[in-house]
Amino acid sequence: MNQKKKKKSRRRMALTSMFSTVPSLLSFILISNLLISAKSSPSSSQVIIKTQEQDRDPFVGFNIGTDVTTLLPPTQLVKFLKTQNINNVRLYDADPDLLKALSKTKIRVVISVPNNQLLAIGSSNTTAASWIGRNVVAYYPETLITAISVGDEVLTTVPSSAPLLLPAMESLHNALVSSNLHALIKVSTPHAASIMLETFPPSQAYFNQTWRPVMEPLLRFLSKTGSPLMMNLYPYYVYMQNRGSVPLDNCLFKPLTPAKEMVDPNTLLHYTNVLDAMVDAAYVSMKNLNVSDVSVLVTETGWPWDGDDSKEPYATIDNADTYNSNLIKHVFERTGTPLRPEVTPSVYIYELFNEDKRAPPVSEASWGLFYGNSTPVYLLHVSGSGTFLANDTTNQTYCVAVDGVDVKTLQAALDWACGPGRANCSEIQPGESCFQPNNVKGHASFAFNSYYQKEGRGSGSCDFKGVAMITTTDPSHGSCIFPGSKKVGNRTQTVVNSTQVAGGEASSRSLSRGFCVSIMILVTCILIPFC
């Protein structure tokens, strides 16, 4: 998978104009993940109807970067997305293997045109049509492509390509029209927050006048085609650049007393979180260019979990957990923004996997919720969001073997779990309730989970050198009851290990933040070879 991603320094530079005064405040941005419920393969008309229905509802999705040392193969990655109940993803390219793997999964996908392809597409309708045929028509509707992001922060990172941006978008849209897909697949381009100036109070925001010749026709195109204004919005950088005036709680969606809320003096609207204020600043900026019918789509937002201790002290697991957990919960509350309470922007969290190959600073490689092998970097707390995200510690979790691992590697991990790891493997012995299915994967899943539960579902206890993964799906079957399950065994008629992990989990909690609950920090295991 070949992709382009930006560096943190770009994102920081993109926010130098943001929030030059005081913070923004709390209001809830909400998102819900909708599942297309048809069990049979949908017809094209069914896909159209269901896609249009979903477009009316906010959702939370994830960006998938690929600067990862050991990223899951496409088929395993897609299975992981389904396990996590992630139904919306954004790619930084149009990787054919991944698009093929996403076929018939009902996962909604945004694909991207990298900045280095703008010249060719913006200069030739034929090239644009070829790109659509190769990357869209070849997969749709089996793969539910919903949008195309053209370039990424072009105005602020490669301004020399700005004149090509709208022509490229128009050429791609025209190609979609020719394929009768323009009503289903939208074309837009993600912008950095720094294209807006004077963003607090939001009522005074406006687009940088330097880009007015580009933004005016671009917004007219979005309005005409029913496409969203894509914005990359990072309260983390707002806080880092305005620590003297923007309280951390405002950036993290923490509850505020009325005294800490900020009031826009022109509208008297109360703001209780930074992201809402940034979204409303985008709405006001568009209105100042006489556009009021274009929605805002947050294509990137998130918080790094690690950083340089001296330069990035607020890039911590605790803050990353708090930001992303609270963001997801607010999304599901669906209260919109203070300026537009009836409209809740959809959000893509940056990012799903930790891109460990990215260049310094430390935080640039530390945005992911999961490592490339699907082990959680940290565990979220998003109770109330249904089954969304299996790394939520408020749900019961299990540790099972990953699909596609060779038998020799699995057997070595199984031997360690039942030996030095001291997992209880008695139930997978011949004649016992979990002996069947009699294969290495089945036995390894039981042993891995036994060790994981014995360790209190602690940090790093479900990895085994990348051959195990955490799931919320109870792997128990028949009379075989896995440790941690609340199911009742046929022979014992007792609940097995339903409270087994309470003590271990409590021991790993951080009580430093008042609003968000426990946090489980994943650490690297040094002495335990398969942990």
Side-chain angles (χ1 to χ4, degrees), residues 114 194 300:
S194 62
E300 289 184 13

Side-chain angles (χ1 to χ4, degrees), residues 215-403:
M215 291 303 298
E216 280 189 317
L218 191 151
L219 289 174
R220 287 198 296 270
F221 168 83
L222 298 181
S223 175
K224 178 181 177 181
T225 61
S227 301
L229 175 68
M230 295 180 171
M231 296 294 300
N232 297 341
L233 305 176
Y234 287 93
Y236 170 74
Y237 291 115
V238 171
Y239 179 72
M240 290 297 291
Q241 295 160 16
N242 301 273
R243 274 182 273 178
S245 57
V246 179
L248 182 61
D249 286 356
N250 296 57
C251 295
L252 296 176
F253 290 91
K254 286 190 174 183
L256 302 176
T257 63
K260 289 186 177 181
E261 294 179 358
M262 178 161 280
V263 180
D264 186 319
N266 301 310
T267 62
L268 299 182
L269 294 173
H270 288 239
Y271 285 86
T272 54
N273 72 74
V274 170
L275 187 61
D276 277 350
M278 298 174 84
V279 170
D280 279 354
Y283 281 126
V284 172
S285 297
M286 286 192 285
K287 187 176 180 181
N288 286 333
L289 293 182
N290 299 313
V291 174
S292 57
D293 61 349
V294 173
S295 63
V296 173
L297 173 64
V298 181
T299 38
E300 289 184 13
T301 190
W303 199 283
W305 60 268
D306 192 19
D308 183 279
D309 290 341
S310 60
K311 297 179 181 178
E312 303 168 302
Y314 298 95
T316 67
I317 284 182
D318 191 48
N319 286 340
D321 173 22
T322 302
Y323 181 83
N324 287 320
S325 295
N326 286 345
L327 170 64
I328 291 169
K329 284 186 282 190
H330 290 323
V331 158
F332 279 93
E333 290 174 5
R334 305 182 60 169
T335 56
T337 67
L339 185 62
R340 294 198 174 183
E342 76 286 357
V343 179
T344 298
S346 294
V347 173
Y348 288 90
I349 293 177
Y350 184 82
E351 58 185 330
L352 188 59
F353 296 112
N354 213 45
E355 295 188 88
D356 60 313
K357 293 168 64 176
R358 298 189 61 76
V362 175
S363 65
E364 183 60 20
S366 306
W367 291 81
L369 273 67
F370 297 87
Y371 294 105
N373 65 3
S374 77
T375 301
V377 177
Y378 57 91
L379 299 177
L380 294 177
H381 302 81
V382 289
S383 59
S385 63
T387 58
F388 178 61
L389 275 182
N391 78 338
D392 175 9
T393 55
T394 60
N395 294 325
Q396 177 65 44
T397 55
Y398 309 87
C399 181
V400 296
V402 173
D403 287 337

Side-chain angles (χ1 to χ4, degrees), residues 114-135:
N115 287 347
N116 59 12
Q117 295 182 23
L118 285 177
L119 177 59
I121 293 176
S123 304
S124 169
N125 290 332
T126 302
T127 301
S130 176
W131 195 95
I132 291 295
R134 186 172 63 254
N135 298 300

Side-chain angles (χ1 to χ4, degrees), residues 79-85 370 374-376 379 387 389-393 395-402 441 445 448-449 452-453 457 462 468-476 482-484:
K79 185 172 183 179
F80 170 75
L81 294 175
K82 293 169 70 176
T83 299
Q84 298 291 329
N85 290 300
F370 297 87
S374 77
T375 301
L379 299 177
T387 58
L389 275 182
N391 78 338
D392 175 9
T393 55
N395 294 325
Q396 177 65 44
T397 55
Y398 309 87
C399 181
V400 296
V402 173
K441 183 176 183 291
S445 288
F448 294 167
N449 185 66
Y452 175 63
Q453 303 295 342
R457 296 183 296 172
C462 181
M469 64 178 285
I470 292 174
T471 178
T472 51
T473 301
D474 190 340
S476 301
F482 273 52

Side-chain angles (χ1 to χ4, degrees), residues 91-102:
L91 313 181
Y92 289 97
D93 52 19
D95 180 80
D97 293 330
L98 186 51
L99 289 176
K100 183 178 179 180
L102 286 163

